[in-house]
Amino acid sequence: RLAADVSSDVRSGSHRSSSCYDMALSLACGLLFVFYLCVVSLGAPAGENSRNGPRSVEVEEFPVRMPNVRPLTKDTYLCSAHRLPHSAADQTEKQYIVEVVPQASEATAHHMLLFGCRLPYEDKFWDCSDMGGICSRGSSRILFGWAKNAPGIAMPPGVGFPVQGNTGIDYVVLQIHYGHVDAFKKGGTDNSGLTLHLTTESMPRLAAIYLLLGARARIAAHTERTITDIACTHFGPPMQPFAFRVHAHSLGKTIMAYRVRGRQWTKIAAGSPQNPQAFYPLKDAPVIEEGDVIAARCEFDASGRDVDTHFGSHASDEMCNFYLMFSSPASQVTHSLGGECSHSGTIEWSHFKEPPSIQYDDVLSTRLPATTLRTQESRNHNTGLLSSSSVSSVRPSEVDIDWHPSHDATDETSIEEFDDTEAVDGSHLNDIKEEDDDFDVDDGQDNVRSHLIMQQWPVGGDKAGQIRVSSGLLGQVSGVDVNGSGMVYVFHRGPRVWNSMSFNYNNVYKNRADGPISVPTVVVLDAQDGSVIDEWGQDRFYMPHGLTVDGQGNVWLTDVALHQVFKFAANGGDHPLLELGQAFVPGHDHLHFCKPADIAVLHTGSFLVADGYCNQRIIRFHSDGRYDTEWTARGLDNNLAHVSLFGSQSFRVPHSLTLSELYNVLCVADRENGRIMCYHYDTGEFLTQFDSKFGGRVFAIAFNTDASGLLVVNGANEENVEVQGFSLNMDQDITDTWNSKPKGFTQPHDIAVGVDGSVFVAEIGPNRLWKFTPVSGSSSQCIVSVHQSRNCLLFTRISFIGCCYRFNSAT
């Protein structure tokens, strides 16, 4: 229009020549072009459209708001469901979220999360304060997070979050945490939320969010520096990070993330949760390939708080969340992207005596989008944004943050997570110091007490304990046992991870719609060299846990998501020989289990199940699967007197079983009570307890080859105990402690003993299987003693005539 006006004015001057008219028109068009460039480059605030280039797809705006709710209780979480448009008209058509624009204020909403669901937990809105009721079908997938007046985010060109069609997302659920409700008590309501920009244009790259979160922890009062570490191995297509967000509450100081490949730590990003909790764009972030470890660390400062603080959902609690927004090539995506990691560190952290430091001398300036800058200026806050991708290098920030990792370990309060999930203990992250080798193999000469040494196994492998199978590396290794021929059976979870979001508060598995694990979950190894002999169990299991091989070579398995127990032939076969429990239905009667943990099998075929995580009981069955009897920690005789002498009168996760038919003894690893309880397996009579020996939780136990003692692996608790293996005699004396090298176990989960005395330890977190063998030269003779110890006297009432002890040569 401006050009037309100029043209009209020029033509109205009859005394001007055509050449003057042409010059004026050219000048006007040139000025208009310069003006257009200025508008394009400067007119749109970065926060309103942060994509690299103008939008080239048609979009539809879809509002997602709270329906004028009125929360009246502090720390209420409310959810509202919104069916995405077009899903009813064409179930096969996918849409893509290419931008998210928040409409909320931190004066009202503490934070917001957006989830994708196949079906929501309720139709309209509901109280979801227990964090369990998001989706009623399918797993809940995080699509966006917001706090502290943060701006929205637009995807890079060609990237979008897929929804509808076959994605399993037909609804979005908005969850808002209302930390303070004073305004609502005066009659106010809230319609906070956000707007999604959707397109039906196919995207060559699919977006998702990977969440690293601390599950549960304790931050001691008046502690200046408390840290928690999180790390998991990536399985799946390459991940290209393009944005990140950090979230913690008032004690959170810094949250950072790395990609760990071999011994190289490449920084992804770092940020302060006290700044606007936006998704900040990443430039030149490292690509995360399958087998890489994604690691995060959170730091807290409780120097000004007078009480201990735990992780939780209230504003006065703490959180440790690192959200990584990434994209993967659509052509390589075969299942739903994204996920979460809640393991507090893996063995990869321990490759180094001192992990990587964060240096701040090369501070880069990265500004928040303009919308956030305006918000921050009005609140008179600084605008620190942290983002980098250099190897163990810098944390960019507009404002230097006075934070330097301490090299004095006594200044650090490490956090150990503990709950019903497969949590692992944390390890420290300070400075990288490379070792000559990833793992040292003990020559047995450094500790004259040791009679078990770690082997470089599998033979010829890249790293000790790391098993490579047809699908890549082992996933979470939950179970291990050895058959009579010396073959090692391993039960692992492939790409699946058990974390705090896997089950709701009724112990129902939430991710059923993801289907069974598609890779073989049972792996058979040669005990000598660790080579793979066989694999089976694909497309059957959802969350593997316990594995036992009986005297006939049958393989018994438990699945905590299915709440079932299975018996298979040695080679798996097309169908189980026996199947107990109702799939996906937890219960506490004779026909149901609730997260069964382990099995022990008698030579008669009768078997016992540790119905572990919910029911806290031991159940005995006949060989054909008929129910026989059950007992709790008190024993079948229900005699309270003997149990009251030893602490809790209930199990707290009976996690592992070991059986000696020679002495009619069944021993139970009572995980959270940190003890071992032993019973007569026929009468259920309580015999004895091993207690206060392990300094933490007891994850797994096994009788040694002649049942003269027990082998035990523990797990950390809040006391920051050393995680290690123990050898005990039946007098409850610790005759040996042992560990992996160089840094020790992270979370050993199961243990098995071979016919030759070799010991195999399965670890979750580092996903490894360690082999230990007796030291050459140490005594292996079984000495039958007439000395009647307290335990011998207890066992003698059943079948013990004497006690057999294995002694070290130095004894």
Side-chain angles (χ1 to χ4, degrees):
R1 287 195 299 269
L2 179 58
D5 293 339
V6 172
S7 175
S8 176
D9 292 341
V10 170
R11 285 176 176 170
S12 63
S14 57
H15 299 293
R16 302 199 180 183
S17 66
S18 61
S19 60
C20 291
Y21 164 78
D22 292 338
M23 291 176 59
L25 183 59
S26 299
L27 178 61
C29 290
L31 291 173
L32 281 174
F33 181 70
V34 173
F35 178 75
Y36 168 77
L37 292 178
C38 293
V39 169
V40 169
S41 61
L42 301 175
E48 296 173 9
N49 189 351
S50 59
R51 278 187 280 173
N52 300 324
R55 175 177 288 149
S56 59
V57 297
E58 295 294 328
V59 299
E60 175 184 354
E61 294 188 359
F62 180 65
V64 179
R65 301 290 188 90
M66 281 292 172
N68 292 309
V69 297
R70 189 184 175 202
L72 298 177
T73 303
K74 181 181 178 182
D75 286 318
T76 293
Y77 285 75
L78 294 183
C79 288
S80 64
H82 306 263
R83 184 160 190 167
L84 292 164
H86 308 314
S87 58
D90 185 355
Q91 296 290 337
T92 64
E93 183 183 37
K94 286 183 183 178
Q95 294 200 87
Y96 300 86
I97 301 172
V98 294
E99 189 167 359
V100 184
V101 181
Q103 282 94 28
S105 167
E106 70 169 336
T108 302
H110 179 273
H111 72 261
M112 296 191 300
L113 291 175
L114 184 70
F115 297 90
C117 294
R118 184 176 296 279
L119 284 176
Y121 190 78
E122 298 284 353
D123 290 336
K124 295 181 180 179
F125 76 95
W126 63 98
D127 187 326
C128 52
S129 297
D130 63 358
M131 299 295 290
I134 304 295
C135 304
S136 64
R137 283 184 56 193
S139 59
S140 58
R141 303 180 204 169
I142 297 177
L143 303 176
F144 184 71
W146 173 96
K148 290 184 175 290
N149 289 339
I153 187 170
M155 306 300 115
V159 175
F161 280 88
V163 295
Q164 301 179 300
N166 62 355
T167 64
I169 299 178
D170 293 325
Y171 288 78
V172 290
V173 173
L174 174 68
Q175 182 190 72
I176 297 184
H177 173 200
Y178 295 95
H180 302 283
V181 296
D182 293 342
F184 299 110
K185 292 180 179 180
K186 300 176 182 179
T189 60
D190 181 50
N191 67 344
S192 299
L194 42 82
T195 299
L196 304 181
H197 291 196
L198 299 166
T199 182
T200 57
E201 182 175 322
S202 181
M203 295 286 129
R205 298 186 66 87
L206 305 183
I209 289 177
Y210 190 83
L211 170 62
L212 295 101
L213 77 160
R216 294 185 185 177
R218 177 179 62 88
I219 303 170
H222 305 297
T223 304
E224 184 175 356
R225 185 167 185 245
T226 300
I227 59 171
T228 182
D229 294 332
I230 312 160
C232 286
T233 302
H234 168 57
F235 294 94
M239 299 166 57
Q240 176 61 69
F242 64 85
F244 78 101
R245 172 181 179 259
V246 298
H247 178 74
H249 294 168
S250 60
L251 302 185
K253 192 171 182 181
T254 307
I255 302 176
M256 63 193 73
Y258 285 85
R259 181 196 71 184
V260 185
R261 178 178 294 171
R263 295 188 213 161
Q264 187 180 55
W265 297 65
T266 304
K267 191 173 178 185
I268 300 171
S272 169
Q274 302 310 316
N275 293 322
Q277 294 180 9
F279 272 100
Y280 296 115
L282 286 170
K283 184 179 180 181
D284 300 326
V287 176
I288 300 166
E289 304 281 357
E290 186 167 41
D292 289 342
V293 173
I294 309 172
R297 159 165 285 193
C298 297
E299 180 191 357
F300 303 92
D301 182 356
S303 56
R305 184 165 291 191
D306 296 329
V307 296
D308 291 355
T309 304
H310 294 264
F311 278 18
S313 58
H314 294 172
S316 59
D317 297 329
E318 264 306 334
M319 290 185 172
C320 169
N321 294 355
F322 185 96
Y323 296 84
L324 184 64
M325 193 176 287
F326 68 93
S327 68
S328 294
S331 60
Q332 299 184 36
V333 176
T334 58
H335 57 275
S336 59
L337 290 173
E340 69 177 50
C341 167
S342 59
H343 296 300
S344 54
T346 69
I347 198 67
E348 281 80 4
W349 295 98
S350 302
H351 288 188
F352 313 96
K353 291 182 179 178
E354 297 182 23
S357 62
I358 309 300
Q359 305 296 331
Y360 304 121
D361 47 355
D362 296 327
V363 175
L364 303 178
S365 178
T366 306
R367 293 183 175 273
L368 291 171
T371 51
T372 305
L373 289 175
R374 289 195 295 270
T375 302
Q376 287 296 93
E377 288 166 1
S378 67
R379 295 166 55 208
N380 194 28
H381 284 178
N382 64 53
T383 56
L385 166 64
L386 313 176
S387 173
S388 176
S389 59
S390 58
V391 176
S392 185
S393 60
V394 303
R395 176 176 69 175
S397 173
E398 271 198 0
V399 179
D400 290 342
I401 298 178
D402 185 17
W403 183 91
H404 298 278
S406 170
H407 296 278
D408 182 359
T410 60
D411 292 339
E412 297 183 355
T413 302
S414 65
I415 293 176
E416 293 79 40
E417 302 173 1
F418 59 98
D419 61 0
D420 285 349
T421 66
E422 304 290 353
V424 298
D425 71 299
S427 53
H428 298 301
L429 169 64
N430 285 328
D431 295 322
I432 284 183
K433 183 175 181 180
E434 295 187 355
E435 305 290 342
D436 293 334
D437 196 2
D438 284 333
F439 295 94
D440 297 330
V441 178
D442 195 340
D443 61 5
Q445 304 303 313
D446 60 339
N447 185 353
V448 296
R449 295 185 62 244
S450 177
H451 76 276
L452 284 178
I453 61 168
M454 192 189 82
Q455 297 299 303
Q456 183 67 42
W457 186 88
V459 177
D462 296 333
K463 298 176 181 178
Q466 190 174 79
I467 308 297
R468 187 168 294 278
V469 293
S470 61
S471 58
L473 299 175
L474 287 178
Q476 290 187 331
V477 188
S478 62
V480 62
D481 205 355
V482 185
N483 71 5
S485 302
M487 292 188 293
V488 181
Y489 281 74
V490 177
F491 204 19
H492 77 110
R493 296 172 183 159
R496 193 148 298 172
V497 173
W498 183 358
N499 55 43
S500 59
M501 299 296 286
S502 297
F503 295 84
N504 67 18
Y505 275 74
N506 295 318
N507 295 300
V508 175
Y509 184 60
K510 294 164 57 178
N511 303 330
R512 181 177 177 180
D514 290 345
I517 299 170
S518 60
V519 303
T521 53
V522 179
V523 180
V524 186
L525 304 171
D526 184 286
Q528 297 303 314
D529 60 16
S531 59
V532 176
I533 298 173
D534 193 12
E535 295 181 72
W536 51 271
Q538 62 271 26
D539 298 320
R540 177 175 291 277
F541 300 103
Y542 285 75
M543 194 64 73
H545 198 275
L547 179 149
T548 298
V549 181
D550 66 22
Q552 305 302 314
N554 299 306
V555 181
W556 298 73
L557 304 166
T558 73
D559 188 308
V560 291
L562 289 169
H563 305 287
Q564 286 186 291
V565 174
F566 302 90
K567 174 186 177 182
F568 285 89
N571 63 352
D574 295 332
H575 303 284
L577 304 176
L578 186 66
E579 180 175 333
L580 296 179
Q582 184 177 355
F584 299 108
V585 180
H588 58 272
D589 56 22
H590 296 174
L591 301 177
H592 292 85
F593 304 103
C594 188
K595 298 178 182 173
D598 201 11
I599 317 104
V601 186
L602 300 168
H603 78 280
T604 61
S606 298
F607 58 97
L608 301 105
V609 175
D611 194 15
Y613 284 85
C614 323
N615 290 329
Q616 318 298 345
R617 62 180 177 174
I618 305 299
I619 314 175
R620 193 171 67 218
F621 293 89
H622 297 287
S623 59
D624 58 3
R626 289 179 295 116
Y627 173 88
D628 184 5
T629 189
E630 67 182 71
W631 64 85
T632 65
R634 304 169 182 175
L636 196 58
D637 54 341
N638 201 32
N639 183 353
L640 300 182
H642 56 65
V643 180
S644 64
L645 297 176
F646 303 108
S648 174
Q649 297 180 6
S650 300
F651 288 129
R652 292 179 60 207
V653 187
H655 194 259
S656 173
L657 301 177
T658 188
L659 181 71
S660 170
E661 291 192 77
L662 177 63
Y663 302 127
N664 298 330
V665 176
L666 174 80
C667 291
V668 181
D670 188 7
R671 194 183 82 175
E672 298 304 309
N673 282 324
R675 65 187 181 184
I676 302 169
M677 309 286 283
C678 297
Y679 306 85
H680 189 290
Y681 60 66
D682 265 341
T683 67
E685 180 185 1
F686 173 83
L687 298 178
T688 190
Q689 172 177 314
F690 293 72
D691 195 16
S692 303
K693 298 285 182 182
F694 318 110
R697 300 178 291 170
V698 178
F699 271 80
I701 56 176
F703 277 111
N704 57 21
T705 52
D706 53 18
S708 62
L710 284 171
L711 298 169
V712 183
V713 287
N714 71 345
N717 58 13
E718 287 188 293
E719 302 304 320
N720 197 26
V721 302
E722 180 180 359
V723 181
Q724 59 186 327
F726 301 82
S727 299
L728 291 88
N729 61 29
M730 299 312 293
D731 250 353
Q732 298 198 18
D733 299 320
I734 296 177
T735 61
D736 184 26
T737 58
W738 36 275
N739 219 324
S740 61
K741 301 292 182 179
K743 282 289 189 175
F745 294 133
T746 300
Q747 186 179 346
H749 192 262
D750 199 12
I751 187 171
V753 181
V755 292
D756 63 350
S758 296
V759 176
F760 297 88
V761 176
E763 273 211 273
I764 285 179
N767 303 341
R768 295 199 177 177
L769 183 66
W770 306 100
K771 180 180 179 181
F772 299 82
T773 58
V775 173
S776 176
S778 59
S779 173
S780 61
Q781 297 178 350
C782 181
I783 304 172
V784 179
S785 171
V786 296
H787 166 66
Q788 297 296 308
S789 69
R790 175 170 59 87
N791 280 355
C792 286
L793 290 173
L794 287 168
F795 286 146
T796 300
R797 290 181 290 140
I798 311 304
S799 65
F800 262 158
I801 297 175
C803 285
C804 180
Y805 303 99
R806 186 182 302 279
F807 286 92
N808 184 282
S809 58
T811 303

